Amino acid sequence: MSPLTTMLRRVLGLGAAVLLSSFAVFLVPFVSPGDPVRSLLRARMDIGAADEATVQAYAEQFGLHDPMLVQFGRWLGRFATGDMGISHISGTPVADQVLPAIGVTLSLAGSALLVAIVASILLGVPSATRAGQWPDRLITSITHALIAIPEYALAPLLVLLFAVRFSLLPSAGFGSAASLVLPVFILALRPISFFTVAVRSGVCQALDSEHVLAARARGLSSTQALVRHVVPHGLLPLWTMVGVWFAGLLGGSVIVEVIFAIPGMGRLIFDSIVDADIPVAQGGVVVVVACAVVVTGIVDLVHKISDPNMRIGVRHG
């Protein structure tokens, strides 16, 4: 199968994933208990019950009595042009709320992922090259301990320590680099743990591989073999995890964003669900899924390009 065909199939698969996810999100009002028209009207008008004439007028205005697939096609068509609908609570365009929020969350998740990648390389490579020694045991113990610490428990403790007790960092907000330190650190802890384990495992396997032993036999020093052969091969397991974790950070940042009052997508979706603002929740979830799918596809492509075995195959193909 040619690289172009493989790429085309990958793009079609990612597009299908976004489409199916969009349909699943669109179905939420229809599978929720009660009449979706009355639920939307109650959320918009903040009233306990509406008379039948008001319900019918609202349904006609927004086409809520059309077949579900017709509504989905109309909603998807508008969404593709940037029209995500109107908030039932504020009456403002959903895009005006979603686009700034996704920018905040992307920067937060990207920063946490970058910190996790750098930290895992700095921890995983020395751990593998000193396997069984005390540095390896110390790093392994720390990374396993970090996996067990939940964000909702760690965040308040760090706020009390660094923001309240010592006044070193802001306790909330998103207006400066200092305000990012605590939320980025908290979001990066779990990826650091898993990434370090992956890097250590990959480097250990690379150290024992035949091509590394052959490189050493050709006269390369330990450092040269490590930089040219061991690390590129050893980081391959890391790249397979980056896309998945980035998608997880996009959707899982809600706890951190709520605790630190960060105006990101997680907090926006959380507030919209609490307020029963369905258009905002739908728009937010679809944008998060689309970003996660695109990033996962890009990371997968980078992984294939960075795989030395694939590069060798391309040169000989």
Side-chain angles (χ1 to χ4, degrees), residues 199-219:
V199 171
R200 182 189 182 280
S201 176
V203 171
C204 283
Q205 292 179 4
L207 285 170
D208 296 331
S209 61
E210 294 182 358
H211 69 276
V212 172
L213 297 177
R216 292 296 305 276
R218 291 195 302 267

Side-chain angles (χ1 to χ4, degrees), residues 224-238:
Q224 290 174 326
L226 184 69
V227 173
R228 295 183 186 180
H229 299 281
V230 175
V231 172
H233 282 79
L235 294 185
L236 291 179
L238 172 63

